[in-house]
Amino acid sequence: MAAHLVKLACELPDKADRSLSLWTCAELARTLGRDGVVECISPQSVQRILFSHRLKPWRVHFWLGDKTPRDEAFRQIVLEIQDLYTRELAPHERVWCLDEMTSIQPRPRSAPTRPALPGRPMLLEHEYARCGALNLLAAFDTRSGHVIGVCRRRKRQVELIELLDEMDRQTPPDATLIHLVCDNVRMHKGKAVRAWLDAHPRFRMHFTPVHCSWMDQVEQWFSILQRKRLNLPNFPDLATLEERILAFIRDWNAAAHPFRWTAKSFTKILAKVETALAA
């Protein structure tokens, strides 16, 4: 039975004719019973057997495909980002990370949200209406933690240039070299954006490796925004949603702090590069 369980856990659920994205101990136990391998087995027993074989089929790690090999070129990009995040900047330098948080919905509820009371949690109505969505385009200063953001209905080069214009206005003229770290989406490399960069030579783009958006520090800030302001959306309309997001940015900037990145932050992925190069 244990061998059958291990074999099952090492296959995707679809192969066992189960419409599941991932195995859990309960679903593996149910499948063993369905297939007649055992009459009955508890999820806890399944977990003990899997643990003895160091198997956790419910966990997922994204990985780089063959189109983005961990080669020397990949290594140099990682080292470039590491350098921008960890070295002491010259007085005329700034390092910003920018990206987009897409499809943020107001989701107005059919009944008012009630605050928590002694012995009772906050009450949120389950039903909500749909009334469009916003995209937040934001930039994060890696040394101060300051955030600049604009909310727009669409996400195009035009909207990105609006963010860049705002960054240009808010950055003092004595900052003559502004590094912009972003991912590889086509919008960041479009013709209009390149023309804007040519007209503003103090801005210089740096692209994270493909499938490595975690290297973009604004993603960390997006997770804070999601957790603290957007986790339970209940806004009457798009205008209110935008106002509340911008208010959150103002509150954040009043006590902004950077994220602590060191060379160790990149150690694991660089070790994988070294392994691939040595193979």
Side-chain angles (χ1 to χ4, degrees):
M1 185 275 297
H4 188 96
L5 170 60
V6 170
K7 179 179 181 297
L8 189 63
C10 290
E11 296 174 346
L12 296 176
D14 284 327
K15 191 171 182 180
D17 197 25
R18 295 299 312 277
S19 183
L20 302 168
S21 58
L22 297 171
W23 284 121
T24 64
C25 293
E27 293 294 350
L28 284 165
R30 187 174 294 114
T31 303
L32 290 174
R34 181 204 67 177
D35 295 344
V37 178
V38 294
E39 183 175 337
C40 181
I41 186 172
S42 69
Q44 292 74 23
S45 296
V46 169
Q47 186 178 33
R48 284 194 295 271
I49 295 171
L50 295 181
F51 181 78
S52 68
H53 289 81
R54 299 178 61 190
L55 270 172
K56 297 180 180 180
W58 49 86
R59 296 187 63 183
V60 175
H61 284 180
F62 291 100
W63 60 295
L64 296 177
D66 293 336
K67 294 182 179 180
T68 52
R70 294 182 176 92
D71 55 12
E72 182 59 28
F74 178 90
R75 179 175 177 272
Q76 290 304 317
I77 296 174
V78 175
L79 290 174
E80 178 184 350
I81 303 299
Q82 174 183 301
D83 178 70
L84 288 173
Y85 287 176
T86 60
R87 69 174 168 84
E88 184 176 351
L89 298 180
H92 67 282
E93 285 185 293
R94 302 288 188 277
V95 177
W96 290 81
C97 294
L98 62 88
D99 205 355
E100 301 79 38
M101 189 175 189
T102 60
S103 301
I104 308 172
Q105 299 181 44
R107 295 191 178 185
R109 308 287 163 163
S110 58
T113 299
R114 298 181 180 181
L117 293 175
R120 191 194 78 186
M122 183 180 75
L123 299 178
L124 179 73
E125 170 58 37
H126 177 74
E127 294 185 0
Y128 59 85
R130 296 185 184 274
C131 52
L134 286 177
N135 300 296
L136 170 63
L137 297 88
F140 179 89
D141 187 324
T142 62
R143 297 316 194 265
S144 70
H146 186 82
V147 172
I148 297 174
V150 296
C151 293
R152 297 294 182 265
R153 293 294 300 273
R154 301 183 67 180
K155 185 194 72 171
R156 303 168 297 175
Q157 293 183 63
V158 173
E159 287 75 28
L160 176 58
I161 289 173
E162 289 186 59
L163 173 64
L164 293 173
D165 282 334
E166 189 61 35
M167 295 173 65
D168 191 36
R169 283 191 292 269
Q170 294 194 31
T171 306
D174 59 354
T176 58
L177 179 55
I178 303 172
H179 302 280
L180 302 176
V181 177
C182 58
D183 62 23
N184 288 271
V185 299
R186 184 175 300 179
M187 183 180 74
H188 296 160
K189 301 179 178 181
K191 183 177 180 180
V193 172
R194 294 200 307 271
W196 189 94
L197 292 171
D198 290 341
H200 300 77
R202 66 174 179 158
F203 286 82
R204 183 181 302 172
M205 284 279 197
H206 302 266
F207 297 101
T208 60
V210 177
H211 303 315
C212 288
S213 60
W214 60 269
M215 291 186 190
D216 191 332
Q217 291 192 32
V218 76
E219 295 286 355
Q220 287 180 264
W221 185 82
F222 283 157
S223 69
I224 294 173
L225 171 64
Q226 178 67 42
R227 184 173 69 252
K228 291 190 173 184
R229 175 72 273 195
L230 303 175
N231 194 36
L232 298 172
N234 183 15
F235 306 95
D237 48 43
L238 289 174
T240 305
L241 172 62
E242 177 177 355
E243 190 277 326
R244 291 291 83 200
I245 291 175
L246 296 180
F248 182 89
I249 293 176
R250 289 194 298 271
D251 290 345
W252 168 271
N253 287 338
H257 63 82
F259 302 130
R260 186 173 179 270
W261 284 63
T262 67
K264 289 183 178 180
S265 305
F266 300 88
T267 300
K268 187 174 182 179
I269 194 165
L270 285 173
K272 292 181 179 179
V273 174
E274 299 296 339
T275 300
L277 292 174

